[in-house]
Amino acid sequence: MITLQIVDGSLQVSNNGSIILVAPKNSCAIDVLSLYDAIPLVVIYNKYLGTSTNIFTQPLSICEDSTNTPFTVNSFIAFAEANLGFDTVGGGCGGSSPFEYNANATGIQPILGTNDASGVYSTIGGGNTNTASGTLSFIGGGELNTASSGHSTISGGRNNTASGGYSTIVGGRNNNTYGCDDVIIAGTNITANRSTTTFVSNLSIMSIPTSSAGLPTGAVWSNLGILSIVP
């Protein structure tokens, strides 16, 4: 096993008792996203030089702390937060990340604002007072938005709730999928009342076929100003 511990202000890494790395702890940072790879990796780099300067990369499964307790994702993140410089990036140019993991290390959320990506693999891109509590849910930004069901999405806006599975609110405000699955809402003050449906406040079609020729079944076209559907 590989042991990571703090000794006299430095990160000391040893392999079965033999020291293989000693580095000032404040210069060490971790790539937290690598901990969520198919095979979780502990990746440590020099935070002053960027992620291209990895100084340590090993599978999480063979890493342990000073008490010989194997690290988990959560315990390693806690170790890094308590002891290392803990800049967090996803790769590329290095530097501090504007994102962090939520308290349970299950989702990603911005450092700024009061947001909570509490769902497993959930993500909040920005904004304030947003909650992504559904598994694999996503909120792009805005405020007071809640994506509470699995695979639900809110692009932005204000006071929107995506509570149906695989439901999407494009934006606007005061919209609610109301537990209906596979729903899309675009507009304001809309509450869904059935699943697998798109809801809009108003709809303007800027360009529409004037003939059904060549159109597939279900396509909409204008028959001298009257909307028709290809059977």
Side-chain angles (χ1 to χ4, degrees):
M1 292 288 287
I2 296 177
T3 304
L4 291 86
Q5 58 186 328
I6 303 301
V7 178
D8 296 329
S10 294
L11 172 66
Q12 177 179 293
V13 181
S14 56
N15 187 358
N16 294 319
S18 299
I19 297 175
I20 60 176
L21 173 68
V22 176
K25 68 175 187 177
N26 289 334
S27 69
C28 296
I30 68 170
D31 180 354
V32 292
L33 296 184
S34 67
L35 293 168
Y36 289 86
D37 288 343
I39 298 177
L41 294 174
V42 171
V43 177
I44 300 174
Y45 66 94
N46 185 320
K47 75 174 185 177
Y48 299 112
L49 299 178
T51 54
S52 62
T53 59
N54 286 353
I55 59 176
F56 178 81
T57 302
Q58 290 293 333
L60 176 67
S61 60
I62 64 171
C63 295
E64 62 182 13
D65 64 17
S66 59
T67 66
N68 303 121
T69 301
F71 280 115
T72 64
V73 171
N74 288 349
S75 67
F76 183 75
I77 290 175
F79 169 81
E81 286 181 319
N83 297 294
L84 305 182
F86 198 64
D87 283 9
T88 58
V89 306
C93 61
S96 297
S97 170
F99 296 97
E100 64 182 0
Y101 280 86
N102 75 321
N104 298 320
T106 56
I108 300 172
Q109 61 198 32
I111 293 173
L112 295 177
T114 306
N115 298 288
D116 185 16
S118 57
V120 177
Y121 299 118
S122 61
T123 302
I124 297 176
N128 188 36
T129 324
N130 296 306
T131 300
S133 56
T135 299
L136 293 164
S137 58
F138 172 80
I139 296 176
E143 63 176 339
L144 297 172
N145 297 306
T146 300
S148 59
S149 194
H151 301 86
S152 56
T153 298
I154 299 175
S155 298
R158 187 177 193 277
N159 197 35
N160 297 303
T161 301
S163 57
Y166 301 91
S167 60
T168 297
I169 297 177
V170 177
R173 59 188 185 276
N174 305 323
N175 298 303
N176 195 329
T177 64
Y178 206 63
C180 298
D181 296 336
D182 303 293
V183 159
I184 298 174
I185 293 178
T188 294
N189 298 318
I190 297 174
T191 297
N193 56 18
R194 59 176 176 153
S195 297
T196 320
T197 304
T198 298
F199 297 86
V200 298
S201 296
N202 292 286
L203 180 64
S204 294
I205 304 176
M206 306 308 294
S207 178
I208 186 171
T210 56
S211 169
S212 63
L215 297 179
T217 297
V220 176
W221 64 287
S222 175
N223 184 2
L224 298 177
I226 298 175
L227 289 182
S228 300
I229 300 176
V230 179

